[in-house]
Amino acid sequence: MPQKSISVVRVADPAAAATLVADEIAQLAQEKRRGGSALVLGLATGRSTVAVYEALTERVLAGSLDLGAAIAFNLDEYCGLSAGDPRSFAAWMRERFFERVGWPRERTRIPSGLVGGADCEGHCAEYEDSIRAAGGLDLQLLGIGRNGHIGFNEPGSAQDSRTRRVRLAAETIEDAARDFGSAEDVPRSAITMGVATILDARRVRLLAFGENKRAALERALHGEISSDSPASFLREHPDLCIYADAAALGQSLPRKASV
Ligand code: GLP
């Protein structure tokens, strides 16, 4: 079993975390290029990640980061929304990142929210296959839900879960209401990479800011490793780094630990 390395780094704010993550991605991109292969990033939406996309965009525009050959796979998408819908995660990513850096569309992948019924399983399997065919995720960026979800792996998600359609938890719908105008307008289901898909990434970097993430982070770090807190499964990962501010950390002391 590979040695597990969990780092918890306390940062002043999201911008400080973004600098560290963007530096790491830039370094990784360089290493991959030297090795002759393309960087494969797993990306996430959400407020926690906005500063990372800003920091990466700055680097690309300044010429210190080249994402030309890189491939991106996003974690999740709401069911029922087309990629052209401004409320979709596809639109969120295009607006905040992909279009700003001119990342070619064919190299930015995101599950389709419009594949329903019998086609859904095939679409999800194909998403897993394309990640594998790209060589696997070099680095997966993550936020954490108030209920401990990662991607849309809600409480109850199994450690060996793969890309699939899921029902959204009540807290998730409540939190997404601000993006949809009201809770009634939030889609009830989504397609998400699974916990196992995330755990397969070679590096996982999770961002958590603010007091409303404190309980979820505390459980993920110190609670039982179980489906009740999908983020707790990340403790099984060989290369996990969590960037969090003091409000999210609470009593969870920053540490660099190998277990
Ligand atoms: C959504 C996304 C998650 C994200 C979470 C937290 O539910 N599917 O991937 O981690 O929101 O979002 P935020 O960073 O806005 O708090």
Side-chain angles (χ1 to χ4, degrees):
M1 201 181 182
Q3 199 191 33
K4 292 175 210 159
S5 160
I6 306 172
S7 308
V8 182
V9 178
R10 178 158 52 194
V11 291
D13 52 29
T19 301
L20 296 168
V21 172
D23 283 350
E24 181 179 13
I25 290 175
Q27 170 92 32
L28 199 52
Q30 226 170 47
E31 283 167 23
K32 296 285 292 193
R33 196 169 329 109
R34 274 197 222 108
S37 57
L39 174 68
V40 186
L41 289 178
L43 298 179
T45 53
R47 284 160 186 78
S48 316
T49 61
V50 170
V52 171
Y53 298 129
E54 272 162 17
L56 289 171
T57 301
E58 267 170 34
R59 281 162 180 69
V60 171
L61 299 182
S64 60
L65 169 63
D66 179 3
L67 291 172
I71 308 170
F73 289 92
N74 259 82
L75 278 172
D76 45 20
E77 181 60 281
Y78 290 111
C79 287
L81 302 188
S82 73
D85 190 309
R87 299 164 305 173
S88 68
F89 284 159
W92 194 99
M93 288 303 299
R94 282 199 307 275
E95 189 185 313
R96 285 176 181 75
F97 190 36
F98 297 149
E99 282 176 355
R100 296 171 68 194
V101 296
W103 199 329
R105 211 161 173 162
E106 64 278 10
R107 286 206 287 279
T108 59
R109 301 286 313 270
I110 186 160
S112 166
L114 289 187
V115 183
D119 296 336
C120 193
E121 226 171 277
H123 177 67
C124 294
E126 193 252 322
Y127 201 67
E128 291 277 333
D129 288 346
S130 3
I131 296 173
R132 262 191 296 274
L137 302 169
D138 289 307
L139 184 149
Q140 176 66 56
L141 187 64
L142 286 180
I144 182 169
R146 199 158 49 99
N147 61 0
H149 76 207
I150 46 174
F152 274 136
N153 291 285
E154 303 286 21
S157 296
Q159 183 166 2
D160 62 0
S161 56
R162 291 279 164 189
T163 303
R164 69 205 186 286
R165 186 178 177 140
V166 292
R167 286 199 69 74
L168 297 180
E171 276 156 313
T172 301
I173 292 173
E174 209 176 280
D175 286 347
R178 58 189 166 186
D179 300 321
F180 285 83
S182 76
E184 289 69 49
D185 292 324
V186 177
R188 268 28 192 179
S189 56
I191 293 184
T192 182
M193 278 187 202
V195 174
T197 324
I198 293 169
L199 290 176
D200 278 349
R202 285 180 277 279
R203 302 181 192 191
V204 175
R205 303 294 178 253
L206 181 140
L207 306 167
F209 309 111
E211 210 184 324
N212 69 338
K213 298 296 172 74
R214 186 183 294 179
L217 194 57
E218 171 72 21
R219 263 185 106 182
L221 281 170
H222 305 297
E224 194 195 334
I225 297 182
S226 87
S227 291
D228 294 345
S229 161
S232 68
F233 289 128
L234 298 175
R235 277 158 49 208
E236 304 280 0
H237 193 274
D239 187 351
L240 165 69
C241 182
I242 296 173
Y243 295 99
D245 63 5
L249 277 172
Q251 299 304 310
S252 299
L253 295 174
R255 67 202 159 114
K256 170 103 186 145
S258 286
V259 290

